[in-house]
Amino acid sequence: MTTIVVTDQTFDTEVNQSNLPVVVDFWAEWCGPCKQIAPILEELSNKMGNQIKVVTIDADSNPDTANKVGIRGLYPPALKHHPKATLQTSPVSLDPGVPCLKVN
């Protein structure tokens, strides 16, 4: 599965109503680190597309969603997760030892 582009109008349907866990990438055209992580998220989406959904949203063009979920900056990357999820070290991580989410 490829990364899905969402907007203020489609965020609720694609993210909040998803049957799969969702990784949300808030990015902006001017954000260098955002551009660096994009290929990694695309790879993650391709490898785990049947287990997770990866979506991307331009925070500058979709400020309502960014504000609603509490995004105040794009760098360093922030991780928000489902209340039933826990951080753990996982072999799924692109960098061993980096915390990942596990939905309980």
Side-chain angles (χ1 to χ4, degrees):
M1 178 182 285
T2 188
T3 303
I4 300 167
V5 176
V6 297
T7 65
D8 283 340
Q9 292 73 32
T10 61
F11 186 86
D12 187 57
T13 301
E14 292 290 343
V15 176
N16 297 330
Q17 297 177 29
S18 176
N19 292 327
L20 294 173
V22 181
V23 174
V24 181
D25 174 28
F26 285 87
W27 67 279
E29 185 62 38
W30 52 265
C31 177
C34 299
K35 291 178 182 179
Q36 290 176 323
I37 200 171
I40 296 167
L41 293 174
E42 187 70 31
E43 181 181 347
L44 179 67
S45 180
N46 288 333
K47 287 184 177 179
M48 298 188 66
N50 60 341
Q51 298 170 334
I52 65 168
K53 182 189 287 189
V54 179
V55 302
T56 181
I57 182 168
D58 182 342
D60 287 342
S61 299
N62 300 280
D64 292 344
T65 299
N67 288 331
K68 186 176 182 179
V69 301
I71 300 298
R72 301 290 177 251
L74 298 176
Y75 188 81
L79 181 63
K80 292 191 175 281
H81 61 86
H82 192 279
K84 292 183 180 177
T86 57
L87 287 173
Q88 69 171 18
T89 302
S90 168
V92 173
S93 174
L94 298 172
D95 183 3
V98 172
C100 293
L101 288 180
K102 178 181 180 185
V103 178
N104 298 323

